[in-house]
Amino acid sequence: MVTFRTITPLIPAGDDLEAGIRFFVDELGFALTWQGGDMAGVRCGQVELTLVRNGNANWAENSSASIGVDDLAALHAEYRDTSAVVGPLEVKSWGRREFHMILPTGVCLQFHQAEG
């Protein structure tokens, strides 16, 4: 039986891949790990994302990822000053503390307090 080890979401970075990389590196604190053609890899902690040059607004506005972190309040305070639209930090009806961020491309990232 095969064991799945990782998942790396493909995130539309808009028509300008370099601008997408700058946003993730300069504003969100990710590190660029590789770049080739129309794609690039970014990483922060154990989270890896693949940025894809793609200006299809429909794809971006219907893309999302949920990321668990160890200090949600600190991250929310840090990300409020980015060029993204950052929602309130709140406990949702399903009991999880989280906030949502809409990136300049329209992609939604959800951050939640990870257990353990």
Side-chain angles (χ1 to χ4, degrees), residues 64-85:
S64 61
S66 182
I67 301 171
V69 301
D70 63 358
D71 191 343
L72 189 64
L75 187 69
H76 184 258
E78 179 182 337
Y79 282 0
R80 280 191 312 228
D81 294 330
T82 67
S83 61
V85 177

Side-chain angles (χ1 to χ4, degrees), residues 12-14 19-20 23-24 27-28 57 60-61 82-85 101-109:
F23 173 77
F24 273 87
E27 295 194 48
L28 301 188
E61 292 169 0
T82 67
S83 61
V85 177
M101 170 190 287
I102 306 298
L103 307 184
T105 58
V107 172
C108 177
L109 295 182

Side-chain angles (χ1 to χ4, degrees), residues 1-115:
M1 181 80 165
V2 173
T3 300
F4 289 22
R5 300 280 182 192
T6 64
I7 184 168
T8 307
L10 301 176
I11 304 294
D15 288 326
D16 185 347
L17 180 61
E18 294 300 325
I21 292 169
R22 281 191 305 275
F23 173 77
F24 273 87
V25 171
D26 296 344
E27 295 194 48
L28 301 188
F30 281 70
L32 178 65
T33 56
W34 61 271
Q35 184 174 357
D38 288 339
M39 297 174 31
V42 293
R43 180 183 185 106
C44 190
Q46 298 299 309
V47 173
E48 295 182 57
L49 304 171
T50 298
L51 305 181
V52 180
R53 181 189 329 265
N54 188 314
N56 182 321
N58 190 47
W59 180 29
E61 292 169 0
N62 287 286
S63 294
S64 61
S66 182
I67 301 171
V69 301
D70 63 358
D71 191 343
L72 189 64
L75 187 69
H76 184 258
E78 179 182 337
Y79 282 0
R80 280 191 312 228
D81 294 330
T82 67
S83 61
V85 177
V86 179
L89 177 57
E90 58 192 0
V91 176
K92 298 295 186 177
S93 61
W94 48 90
R96 189 163 77 173
R97 193 165 175 242
E98 58 187 57
F99 72 92
H100 294 79
M101 170 190 287
I102 306 298
L103 307 184
T105 58
V107 172
C108 177
L109 295 182
Q110 172 195 69
F111 295 92
H112 65 274
Q113 187 73 41
E115 300 297 319

